[in-house]
Amino acid sequence: MGHASALLPEPGAAVGELQTPVVASGLFGGGLTGQLTQRLVDRCRQQGRWALTGRLSTAHPYEQVAFSNLGAVPTGLVLGAFP
């Protein structure tokens, strides 16, 4: 079992923020996180969203690889952190 979601600032927003996906510990290593996130990305594309942001941790190299495989591009910019 697992869960992946995107936070949208308002209905119909063009940009959303990926939330941290979670997967039951007994299912680690099976690619479920990547599958859930890919389905979420596909769904957002179908809904016309043109970007998803995410805050990845340098302490989780597997998370970085998974998101890189989905086409994520590191920017070093934390959107929404500036006035």
Side-chain angles (χ1 to χ4, degrees), residues 61-75:
Y62 296 114
E63 182 180 77
Q64 293 175 23
V65 170
F67 282 95
S68 178
N69 290 341
L70 291 169
V73 178
T75 63

Side-chain angles (χ1 to χ4, degrees), residues 15 20 22 35 41 72 74 78:
V15 178
T20 303
V22 291
Q35 292 173 27
V41 169
V78 179

Side-chain angles (χ1 to χ4, degrees), residues 13-83:
V15 178
E17 181 181 335
L18 289 172
Q19 301 300 292
T20 303
V22 291
V23 173
S25 60
L27 300 173
F28 287 173
L32 183 57
T33 300
Q35 292 173 27
L36 287 170
T37 307
Q38 182 63 60
R39 288 185 66 140
L40 177 61
V41 169
D42 292 344
R43 178 69 185 250
C44 287
R45 283 184 181 139
Q46 290 170 357
Q47 293 175 347
R49 307 199 196 294
W50 60 269
L52 290 172
T53 64
R55 297 180 188 188
L56 304 182
S57 169
T58 56
H60 297 106
Y62 296 114
E63 182 180 77
Q64 293 175 23
V65 170
F67 282 95
S68 178
N69 290 341
L70 291 169
V73 178
T75 63
L77 175 66
V78 179
L79 299 175
F82 304 98

